[in-house]
Amino acid sequence: MGTSLIILAGCFWGSMGIFVRKLDTFGFSTIQIVSIRVTLAALIFALVLLVKERKGFTISVKDIPLFLGLGFGSILFFTVCYFTAITMMPLSTAAILLYTSPVWIMLMSLLFFHEKLDRKKQIALAVGDAVKHGAADVLPDGDNLRARKAGRVPAVSPGSCVKVMS
């Protein structure tokens, strides 16, 4: 069952760009598309919790800031940025930029958690930076700087809150 759910999640993730683009052509704004996605996800998660583990609805008051930070600071912000990138550039470019997020997390770890910058991290940083800039530079000549910047933003957000909370 677990493997099937992982495959299903991958299929949903991989097809997300298709739905974002289709909804965009129907005139939905990025915020509206994000609202649809986040609302459907919340309803599905709530239904699963209701059936499988009702105590999952209970959280400690001290954890509320963490849930708000993860929800608004990471999931919502990430989804808006990623969907904006999907509507402004090729799907493959948006996905490549998304997966540079470990580089950003490493930089934040150096700054906020005072981790050491060893040789392995320097190489990872250089490679990640090269990929990020290379991916943004493959945009067709007609695409503007705004599209390039929008594509780089999703890379920063996904793991940011997770790193801070761990």
Side-chain angles (χ1 to χ4, degrees), residues 14-35:
S15 63
M16 187 167 30
I18 297 167
F19 289 103
V20 170
R21 290 244 170 112
K22 189 53 114 175
L23 290 171
D24 184 56
T25 62
F26 289 148
F28 285 93
S29 71
T30 301
I31 298 297
Q32 290 171 322
I33 298 169
V34 169
S35 297

Side-chain angles (χ1 to χ4, degrees), residues 141-158:
D141 290 335
D143 289 331
N144 60 26
L145 182 61
R146 191 173 132 233
R148 293 171 193 265
K149 287 180 180 177
R152 288 184 176 126
V153 172
V156 179
S157 65

Side-chain angles (χ1 to χ4, degrees), residues 6-123:
I6 291 170
I7 292 169
L8 183 63
C11 291
F12 283 145
W13 181 259
S15 63
M16 187 167 30
I18 297 167
F19 289 103
V20 170
R21 290 244 170 112
K22 189 53 114 175
L23 290 171
D24 184 56
T25 62
F26 289 148
F28 285 93
S29 71
T30 301
I31 298 297
Q32 290 171 322
I33 298 169
V34 169
S35 297
I36 292 167
R37 179 188 185 260
V38 171
T39 301
L40 283 174
L43 291 172
I44 291 168
F45 284 138
L47 182 62
V48 169
L49 273 178
L50 190 63
V51 171
K52 295 201 79 71
E53 191 171 339
R54 286 183 185 227
K55 68 179 181 177
F57 285 107
T58 306
I59 62 170
S60 171
V61 174
K62 69 178 175 72
D63 290 335
I64 290 174
L66 297 175
F67 281 97
L68 291 174
L70 181 61
F72 290 111
S74 187
I75 295 172
L76 183 64
F77 178 67
F78 154 77
T79 306
V80 169
C81 294
Y82 186 52
F83 286 7
T84 300
I86 286 173
T87 62
M88 298 176 81
M89 62 182 56
L91 291 173
S92 57
T93 305
I96 289 170
L97 292 172
L98 168 70
Y99 288 106
T100 62
S101 63
V103 171
W104 293 101
I105 294 167
M106 180 186 63
L107 289 173
M108 286 186 271
S109 296
L110 295 171
L111 181 66
F112 298 117
F113 303 113
H114 309 290
E115 291 185 7
K116 297 207 184 297
L117 182 63
D118 59 18
R119 185 79 175 140
K120 191 191 285 188
K121 288 179 184 174
Q122 290 173 354
I123 292 169

